[in-house]
């Protein structure tokens, strides 16, 4: 089976399953599930965006939560000043996080390995402390989002409507992501990950392609942040904390780097595990750690590799 | 006489206390196959690295196709028509053989800011890639993952990637290293078919390959070129026999 047809099947089946969550939750009289799965999908969007640069581009960005935070504040700050228009807020989220990614990427992409990790981490922590310094917007306590983003007749206060908006964005990103990684552009960043000296020797200058991928991923992460602010109706600098970045990275690794769908599985499983384990014990992180290590050691392609038997990353 | 395709003047490269390239002057004319031989650690790979743009020389100048390329980086030089193979096989292991070569074609056909159309479905990339694979004898292995190719096939793939960039100058760093006798003879025959069509700078320890292919040979020892000439001249050179071929080297045949 080709990668493309496998993707189409997974997308169809997975999309349908997720689309059935609201009616099933309604039938079971468990509205909580709509909330939980929406949260999972929002993190899935962030994880998919990270996979684009981590899995396909080989860029170990340890500061991806920065974009989540920028996106959230791009909703929260206008809302605080009475601007509730969703197009303005979400557009601002995409632009501001893309711009931040442009600056961070321009500085970090010339380095590699540990330096790259440290620089991306440092930028994210800088933004985290910047958030704490924003006294007007609640400082380290953050602030409530007085109302969800307004999109005319599309009413995000309706849980199911908001759910399907998030689902549509996730599916859109998965379809577009699938095209991008197979396109000429995708081939360049994958080639650079696979063997950068070779890519340069045949005539590619990978820098600007990697930077473009970094900006795209940052913008997607920013949109996820805008969704997250609407989800929690609260935003704090914690959105940008390095543990959050680590969590998103775990979702990608757990689900399967360079598989695009894997990070969705990773986001769902990780949040589910956190939910279940934290109900059982206060020391749930101690249980979670070994589980993650086991997956990383024994399933190189993550959970998605186990499930779909995806043999290879590249064509 | 026309300017040589490649002209190296006063090239010098130092690694700490070690002079790996010591005042090298070298001219390669269009269409020529030029071999650089020398003992291990003589500085041959270092020279290739400076020609390809991976290593910055400390001093000296490199002119290629009538322009000074000393300060240009490797991708730019590739786009001017310089292609290389690496001493230690360098391919994209997690791509198919065809995709490896198609990438080389892609790098030389306009920009790659195209986000929607699958590259694998672009005949303008895959058709020339297939043709080149065919020509190096890998036509039947196009869909095999490069990592799963035999060592000799990976060497062939590397040559295919270099050729797919339609180079004017091919830099080959030990193309038959690690190959079996038959495989290496096949490679030498293939490189022979390139003679005249593309200019080649060949670094090789296999003397059969060198004496079969090379129009001219330079001998490098401790970063210096100690002799240059035709195969006969180099084999007859006393200094070369002492320094490199060894006293008991087989007599010229
Ligand atoms: N990056 C480097 N840093 C320090 N020393 C280096 C570096 N690269 C090469 N050298 C040294 O420079 C000298 C020349 O190395 P080079 O690889 O060019 O030799 P060579 O002629 O290609 O040898 P071989 O036939 O074994 O491939 C060697 O002594 C090597 O140890
Ligand atoms: Mg060498």
């Amino acid at each position: 089976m080709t990668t493309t047809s496998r993707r189409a099947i997974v997308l169809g089946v997975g999309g349908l399953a997720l689309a059935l969550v609201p009616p099933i939750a309604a039938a079971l009289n468990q509205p909580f599930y709509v909330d939980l799965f929406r949260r999972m999908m929002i993190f899935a969007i962030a994880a998919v965006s990270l996979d684009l640069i981590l899995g396909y581009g080989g860029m170990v960005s340890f500061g991806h939560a920065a974009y989540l935070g920028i996106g959230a504040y791009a909703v929260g700050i206008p809302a605080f000043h009475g601007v509730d228009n969703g197009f303005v807020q979400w557009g601002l989220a995409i632009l501001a996080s893309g711009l931040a990614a442009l600056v961070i990427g321009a500085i970090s992409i010339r380095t590699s390995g540990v330096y790259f990790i440290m620089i991306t981490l440092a930028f994210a922590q800088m933004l985290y402390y910047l958030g704490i310094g924003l006294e007007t917007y609640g400082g380290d306590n953050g602030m409530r989002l007085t109302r969800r983003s307004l999109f005319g007749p599309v009413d995000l206060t309706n849980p199911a409507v908001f759910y399907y908006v998030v689902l549509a964005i996730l599916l859109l990103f998965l379809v577009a992501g699938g095209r991008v990684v197979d396109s000429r552009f995708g081939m360049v960043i994958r080639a650079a990950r696979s063997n950068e000296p070779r890519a340069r020797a045949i005539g590619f200058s990978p820098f600007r392609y990697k930077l473009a991928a970094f900006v795209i991923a940052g913008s997607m992460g920013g949109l996820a942040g805008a969704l997250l602010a609407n989800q929690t109706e609260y935003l704090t600098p914690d959105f940008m904390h390095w543990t959050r970045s680590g969590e998103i990275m775990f979702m990608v690794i757990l689900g399967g780097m360079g598989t695009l769908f894997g990070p969705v599985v990773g986001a769902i499983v990780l949040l589910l595990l956190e939910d279940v384990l934290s109900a059982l014990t206060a020391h749930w992180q101690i249980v979670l750690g070994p589980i993650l290590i086991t997956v990383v050691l024994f399933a190189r392609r993550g959970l998605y590799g186990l499930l779909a038997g995806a043999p290879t990353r590249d064509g | 006489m026309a300017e040589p395709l490649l002209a190296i003047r006063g090239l010098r490269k130092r690694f700490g206390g070690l002079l790996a390239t010591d005042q090298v002057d070298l001219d390669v004319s269009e269409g020529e196959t030029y071999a650089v031989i020398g003992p291990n650690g003589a500085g041959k790979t270092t020279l290739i690295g400076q020609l390809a743009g991976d290593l910055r020389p400390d001093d000296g100048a490199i002119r290629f196709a009538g322009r000074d390329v000393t300060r240009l980086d490797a991708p730019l030089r590739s786009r001017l028509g310089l292609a290389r193979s690496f001493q230690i096989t360098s391919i994209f292991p997690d791509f198919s053989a065809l995709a490896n070569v198609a990438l080389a074609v892609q790098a030389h056909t306009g920009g790659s800011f195209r986000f929607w159309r699958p590259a694998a479905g672009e005949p303008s990339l895959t058709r020339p890639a297939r043709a080149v694979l065919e020509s190096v004898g890998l036509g039947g292995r196009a869909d095999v993952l490069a990592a799963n190719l035999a060592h000799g096939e990976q060497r062939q793939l590397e040559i295919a990637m270099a050729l797919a960039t339609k180079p004017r100058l091919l830099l080959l760093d030990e193309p038959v290293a690690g190959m079996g006798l038959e495989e290496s003879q096949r490679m030498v025959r293939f490189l022979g078919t390139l003679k005249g069509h593309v200019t080649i700078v060949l670094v090789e320890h296999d003397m059969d390959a060198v004496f079969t292919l090379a129009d001219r040979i330079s001998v490098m020892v401790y970063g210096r070129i100690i002799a240059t000439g035709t195969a006969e001249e180099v084999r007859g050179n006393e200094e070369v026999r002492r320094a490199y071929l060894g006293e008991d080297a087989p007599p010229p045949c």
Side-chain angles (χ1 to χ4, degrees), chain A residues 159-177:
Chain A
V161 169
F162 185 20
Y163 181 93
Y164 286 114
V165 167
V166 174
L167 176 59
I169 292 172
L170 175 61
L171 293 180
L172 181 79
F173 278 172
L174 287 174
V175 172

Side-chain angles (χ1 to χ4, degrees), chain A residues 62 65 121 125 238 240-248 250:
Chain A
F62 208 136
L121 175 63
Q125 283 300 92
D238 278 343
M240 296 181 272
H241 197 253
W242 68 271
T243 52
R244 200 28 86 70
S245 294
E247 213 175 30
I248 302 171
F250 262 141

Side-chain angles (χ1 to χ4, degrees), chain B residues 193-213:
Chain B
T193 67
L194 299 178
K195 259 180 87 96
H197 301 292
V198 53
T199 312
I200 298 176
V201 171
L202 171 72
V203 166
E204 189 49 75
H205 282 295
D206 181 326
M207 285 306 132
D208 286 337
V210 169
F211 290 134
T212 308
L213 291 170

Side-chain angles (χ1 to χ4, degrees), chain A:
Chain A
M1 192 168 24
T2 68
T3 320
T4 320
S5 59
R6 189 205 319 274
R7 275 193 202 136
I9 292 170
V10 174
L11 203 64
V13 174
L16 195 65
L18 286 170
L20 289 175
V21 167
I24 292 174
L28 298 176
N29 204 13
Q30 295 279 8
F32 155 77
Y33 283 115
V34 177
D35 204 68
L36 176 67
F37 274 87
R38 195 171 55 217
R39 185 179 168 78
M40 287 170 175
M41 291 194 297
I42 291 170
F43 275 98
I45 291 169
V48 169
S49 75
L50 177 61
D51 191 30
L52 212 55
I53 51 173
L54 174 63
Y56 290 94
M59 291 174 265
V60 188
S61 167
F62 208 136
H64 213 62
Y67 312 112
L68 220 51
I70 293 171
Y73 276 90
V75 170
I77 293 175
F80 180 83
H81 296 288
V83 179
D84 294 315
N85 185 303
F87 293 105
V88 172
Q89 293 177 344
W90 295 17
L92 188 65
I94 291 169
L95 279 179
S97 51
L99 198 65
L102 184 66
V103 173
I104 298 172
I107 293 167
S108 61
I109 291 174
R110 295 191 192 280
T111 69
S112 60
V114 176
Y115 297 103
F116 186 88
I117 298 174
M118 296 312 285
I119 291 175
T120 50
L121 175 63
F123 269 108
Q125 283 300 92
M126 236 165 67
L127 287 164
Y128 168 71
Y129 288 113
L130 181 70
I132 288 180
L134 292 177
E135 291 298 341
T136 320
Y137 308 112
D140 59 352
N141 290 318
M143 63 176 166
R144 280 193 59 79
L145 185 67
T146 40
R147 68 197 298 187
R148 285 187 173 162
S149 305
L150 294 183
F151 283 98
V154 181
D155 179 13
L156 296 189
T157 58
N158 178 323
V161 169
F162 185 20
Y163 181 93
Y164 286 114
V165 167
V166 174
L167 176 59
I169 292 172
L170 175 61
L171 293 180
L172 181 79
F173 278 172
L174 287 174
V175 172
R179 302 291 301 208
V180 167
V181 298
D182 286 342
S183 71
R184 283 188 180 219
F185 175 80
M187 292 301 278
V188 181
I189 62 165
R190 286 158 66 188
R193 174 195 55 80
S194 175
N195 185 345
E196 181 141 357
R198 194 10 116 189
R200 292 170 56 80
I202 57 175
F204 286 122
S205 304
F207 176 77
R208 54 197 144 137
Y209 299 102
K210 287 168 85 169
L211 183 58
F214 203 80
V215 170
I216 292 170
S219 299
M220 283 172 69
L223 185 56
L227 295 172
L228 190 60
N230 277 280
Q231 163 82 12
T232 56
E233 296 177 279
Y234 202 91
L235 51 134
T236 87
D238 278 343
F239 281 21
M240 296 181 272
H241 197 253
W242 68 271
T243 52
R244 200 28 86 70
S245 294
E247 213 175 30
I248 302 171
M249 191 178 285
F250 262 141
M251 291 170 182
V252 177
I253 295 169
L254 179 68
M257 281 194 289
T259 61
L260 221 51
F261 294 123
V264 181
V265 178
I268 292 173
V269 171
L270 190 78
L271 291 180
L272 215 55
L273 276 177
E274 277 184 11
D275 208 55
V276 173
L277 293 176
S278 61
L280 294 176
T281 161
H283 305 294
W284 56 273
Q285 274 146 327
I286 297 172
V287 187
L288 192 58
I291 295 178
L292 290 173
I293 290 169
T294 309
V295 171
V296 171
L297 286 181
F298 294 102
R300 257 188 62 242
R301 317 285 310 131
L303 293 174
Y304 186 71
L306 289 180
L307 293 174
T312 61
R313 165 179 3 207
D314 298 306

